[in-house]
Amino acid sequence: MTTTMSLNLMRRTRRKIRSSGTSRFVYLSTAQHASTLTAPCCHSESEDLSHGAVLKGMVEQGAGTRHPQEGDLVYIHISVTAPSGQLLHSTRVEEGGSGVPMALLLGRGVRAPRGWELGLQDMVCQQRCQLTIKPEYGYKHKDCHMKPPKGVSIDETMRVDIKLLEIYSKDDVRVVGANEDIYKTIKQRSESWESPREPYEVEVSCSARVPAPSGRHGESTPYFVAPSLKFTMGSGTAPSGLEEALSSMTQGEKSVFSCPTQYVKGSSLLPDPTHQPDRVELDLHLLRFAQVRDMTGNGEVMKRRIKEGTGQFPMDCPMADSRLQIHYRGHVVDTGQEFVNTRGGDSTAQPLEFDSGMGILPEAIDMTVRLMTPGEISLITSTSQYAYDGRPDRPPGVPEGAKVEWEVELINFQKQPDWERAEPLAKIQHAGELKDQGNIAFKAGRLKAARSKYTKALRLAERIFDIETEEQAEAASVVKTACLVNLANCAQREQQFGEALEWCNKALRESHNHAKALYRRAMAFSALGEFDKAQEDFIKWKKVDTSAAADADAQIAKLKLQQKAANAKQKQQFRNFFDRT
């Protein structure tokens, strides 16, 4: 019954086209598309069109003067028939279709057959046309990523009865999602810049509906409405389509998303649509979200923002080592026992002032406060590894292995200049300051912080490319050598003697007879059992620094005892081997 009715409709359509002097089938050509979606992509397309690759005839006049442009979102009704006249696919109710129009993003996203794009580009809303499209401009076209409906052969000429329903401007339209098949239309922009992502906590107003037959957003009755939905991104609570849509929004924004139905199904948060259209519309208003960051990538340190600060991320964050002012209070997660509160009982105490990167506070606080803006308050949850395990300042009431949570407020910080763009002398001076901070951390036993400071000082000193005087060159070299020797000292403290040897070699390439570098290298050789090389460096050391002669001689004497013991041990090992054989 459906097929017969469709055939009659097609016959009436063809009669109308034949009987109208202005509505006849025409070849699409370059001249017709002077102000269209896109000019023919190459000379061969122009030739193809002139030889009838796409034929077009108007069935019904439209309204208005606006034509679709590349990047516009359009809604259309279509009917696809075979050359024999058999109806293969339709979106129209009267032809057995669902009545739900098709959404296309012209020239982008999941591209439609090229013949459709060419046919649409000089149409106006409510205009209806008939296209005859050869296979190479149908689903076989190289840019077409749309799958043909069931029963439609990609190798046959197809006839498409197409009606343009609605156009949404490319200025307000975006492609969203990894597959580029979610189409976003912005209704209300926001002043914010940040978008939520896993594992942020979001609150959104949501309505879901099947697209209206007219193609106009918001015109159909929603099958789901929720003034407030709260969930955690990436938790599996929300469907993937909703999460991909939200990840493109900013706080306060309102947008409509045309989304493939399979992306919003199977969720406990949203019901499935009552019937199964190809796409649904999500009308979303992102009310607010809490920034949640996994600082370590494995959940050991989590930062959850509970109050926004002032300024913009990351420009107004103390990402570089800085002098900070903060208030914080902390409690043990398992027991709830509070162990620190810098505000005091009456909340009048001055904030704590400290230099980040020095290891003064637990690593979890030091790493997360760098991503805060002034006035921001965040909850920081940390395992014992990044909290107080191994620290001499572990507070009473915090047992070894305890997971803790702090509430941290960044009051203010001293913003650092862009040292990469500073004058050479300023760079050298700052590199020296970083090196001195490393020395303080080293003496306090905070080797990780010391390494970090020495590394940053070394990196800055090595990137001074515009040195102006010999004095500046010498000063930069002194800082570099000191940092290299100090890094060797850190490695030796951690019994990383091979690494210590590498740092010493770099220092001696920078300063050939550096006394401390020779001493550190000799100690590294000794620890590695290379006694001859160690002795050579001790001899060089006392020649360079005559005040170290007694210490060098003592070390050489110690070396001889170590070598004698090593030789005896080796002989015993050989004797045991031959006794066994």
Side-chain angles (χ1 to χ4, degrees):
M1 179 177 176
T2 302
T3 303
T4 304
M5 182 171 64
S6 301
L7 289 172
N8 288 335
L9 176 65
M10 295 298 295
R11 292 188 188 105
R12 290 196 300 272
T13 299
R14 285 195 289 270
R15 282 198 298 272
K16 181 173 181 180
I17 292 170
R18 284 195 298 267
S19 64
S20 171
T22 59
S23 299
R24 56 188 177 84
F25 278 97
V26 295
Y27 293 85
L28 295 187
S29 67
T30 306
Q32 289 176 281
H33 302 140
S35 59
T36 59
L37 163 74
T38 177
C41 62
C42 58
H43 178 68
S44 61
E45 181 172 286
S46 178
E47 285 185 346
D48 291 343
L49 294 179
S50 67
H51 289 88
V54 182
L55 299 177
K56 179 179 179 181
M58 186 167 65
V59 180
E60 296 174 0
Q61 294 279 358
T65 59
R66 184 171 178 225
H67 305 297
Q69 304 294 313
E70 182 175 358
D72 285 352
L73 175 65
V74 299
Y75 283 81
I76 62 172
H77 270 309
I78 62 163
S79 305
V80 180
T81 59
S84 64
Q86 179 187 3
L87 178 66
L88 302 175
H89 173 73
S90 179
T91 60
R92 297 180 171 95
V93 171
E94 64 270 22
E95 296 177 343
S98 66
V100 178
M102 182 179 290
L104 302 177
L105 195 62
L106 292 185
R108 299 179 186 172
V110 179
R111 296 279 297 273
R114 180 64 176 157
W116 297 16
E117 294 180 343
L118 293 169
L120 282 165
Q121 57 191 2
D122 62 353
M123 293 177 65
V124 295
C125 284
Q126 303 308 311
Q127 185 176 348
R128 183 173 178 178
C129 291
Q130 181 133 341
L131 307 174
T132 301
I133 303 171
K134 291 184 177 179
E136 291 72 22
Y137 281 76
Y139 291 102
K140 288 185 72 173
H141 193 275
K142 62 182 180 64
D143 293 330
C144 177
H145 302 300
M146 186 180 291
K147 293 182 179 179
K150 186 177 180 180
V152 176
S153 171
I154 66 171
D155 296 314
E156 287 188 344
T157 296
M158 63 174 167
R159 294 173 180 167
V160 180
D161 183 339
I162 187 168
K163 183 173 183 178
L164 177 59
L165 303 172
E166 195 67 40
I167 305 172
Y168 291 94
S169 171
K170 61 183 178 183
D171 296 334
D172 299 319
V173 173
R174 305 288 184 272
V175 181
V176 175
N179 296 324
E180 298 189 337
D181 53 359
I182 299 175
Y183 307 141
K184 167 183 173 178
T185 306
I186 302 170
K187 294 165 54 181
Q188 175 182 296
R189 301 177 188 273
S190 79
E191 297 297 324
S192 184
W193 63 271
E194 187 179 11
S195 299
R197 59 182 181 273
E198 184 179 340
Y200 284 22
E201 297 169 359
V202 299
E203 182 179 3
V204 59
S205 172
C206 172
S207 63
R209 51 173 52 88
V210 175
S214 64
R216 288 189 284 273
H217 290 159
E219 194 168 271
S220 60
T221 302
Y223 66 84
F224 173 76
V225 176
S228 173
L229 288 177
K230 298 179 180 179
F231 63 94
T232 300
M233 299 274 282
S235 65
T237 305
S240 62
L242 178 57
E243 289 206 357
E244 287 196 285
L246 288 170
S247 67
S248 74
M249 299 181 71
T250 57
Q251 187 163 303
E253 179 186 324
K254 296 179 181 179
S255 289
V256 176
F257 295 84
S258 173
C259 181
T261 302
Q262 66 265 29
Y263 295 171
V264 297
K265 291 173 60 178
S267 161
S268 60
L269 199 65
L270 266 68
D272 293 350
T274 51
H275 61 286
Q276 299 299 316
D278 290 335
R279 305 180 76 85
V280 297
E281 284 178 8
L282 298 177
D283 198 335
L284 304 179
H285 179 195
L286 181 54
L287 301 173
R288 60 189 59 85
F289 60 84
Q291 184 194 75
V292 181
R293 293 184 183 274
D294 184 345
M295 300 297 299
T296 54
N298 59 6
E300 293 200 62
V301 179
M302 299 295 295
K303 173 184 178 288
R304 180 180 182 273
R305 186 174 63 196
I306 57 177
K307 177 180 177 292
E308 288 192 29
T310 58
Q312 292 291 321
F313 176 90
M315 292 78 73
D316 297 308
C317 297
M319 299 186 74
D321 292 347
S322 310
R323 176 64 60 88
L324 308 176
Q325 291 179 328
I326 69 167
H327 271 304
Y328 74 108
R329 62 181 183 178
H331 68 270
V332 178
V333 171
D334 289 341
T335 64
Q337 179 180 349
E338 187 172 275
F339 56 83
V340 65
N341 187 347
T342 59
R343 293 184 184 277
D346 57 2
S347 298
T348 59
Q350 291 297 309
L352 172 69
E353 188 168 299
F354 72 102
D355 292 313
S356 60
M358 293 291 290
I360 295 170
L361 292 179
E363 188 176 356
I365 296 179
D366 198 293
M367 72 169 70
T368 52
V369 76
R370 295 171 184 269
L371 300 183
M372 296 174 66
T373 54
E376 178 182 331
I377 300 177
S378 286
L379 288 178
I380 301 169
T381 307
S382 173
T383 61
S384 59
Q385 177 184 348
Y386 293 92
Y388 293 105
D389 276 8
R391 290 183 63 91
D393 60 349
R394 181 160 56 89
V398 180
E400 193 78 13
K403 187 176 185 179
V404 300
E405 184 175 78
W406 300 277
E407 181 184 282
V408 180
E409 180 179 5
L410 175 61
I411 306 299
N412 210 342
F413 71 96
Q414 293 179 2
K415 195 165 186 178
Q416 293 293 305
D418 184 354
W419 292 110
E420 293 291 333
R421 298 186 179 183
E423 295 296 320
L425 184 58
K427 287 182 182 179
I428 295 167
Q429 289 174 342
H430 184 60
E433 292 168 357
L434 290 171
K435 185 259 297 178
D436 292 342
Q437 289 178 345
N439 293 343
I440 294 171
F442 183 87
K443 290 175 183 177
R446 298 190 289 266
L447 294 184
K448 187 173 183 179
R451 274 180 173 270
S452 176
K453 291 291 184 179
Y454 294 144
T455 302
K456 290 173 182 176
L458 179 62
R459 186 182 303 123
L460 182 60
E462 287 178 334
R463 292 181 62 82
I464 305 174
F465 303 120
D466 50 353
I467 289 177
E468 298 169 346
T469 65
E470 289 185 7
E471 289 79 7
Q472 289 180 356
E474 177 63 24
S477 179
V478 167
V479 172
K480 283 191 278 186
T481 306
C483 289
L484 291 165
V485 172
N486 291 346
L487 284 165
N489 198 11
C490 289
Q492 286 180 328
R493 284 287 185 93
E494 296 169 338
Q495 297 189 339
Q496 301 294 323
F497 301 111
E499 181 191 346
L501 190 63
E502 292 177 6
W503 289 123
C504 290
N505 287 334
K506 289 180 180 179
L508 289 166
R509 283 196 291 270
E510 183 69 32
S511 180
H512 300 299
N513 292 312
H514 194 276
K516 283 188 177 180
L518 287 167
Y519 169 72
R520 297 283 175 213
R521 191 169 72 173
M523 296 298 289
F525 277 136
S526 176
L528 293 169
E530 298 189 45
F531 302 116
D532 292 340
K533 291 181 178 179
Q535 183 171 328
E536 288 177 11
D537 275 348
F538 281 131
I539 293 171
K540 290 179 183 177
W541 175 39
K542 71 177 183 178
K543 287 181 179 179
V544 171
D545 183 2
T546 55
S547 66
D551 290 334
D553 289 339
Q555 290 293 340
I556 291 170
K558 187 177 178 181
L559 273 179
K560 291 178 179 179
L561 293 175
Q562 290 175 329
Q563 189 164 16
K564 185 177 179 180
N567 292 339
K569 183 178 179 181
Q570 189 177 43
K571 286 180 181 180
Q572 184 61 44
Q573 287 174 339
F574 277 119
R575 186 179 297 115
N576 292 339
F577 173 77
F578 287 116
D579 288 345
R580 287 195 300 271
T581 58

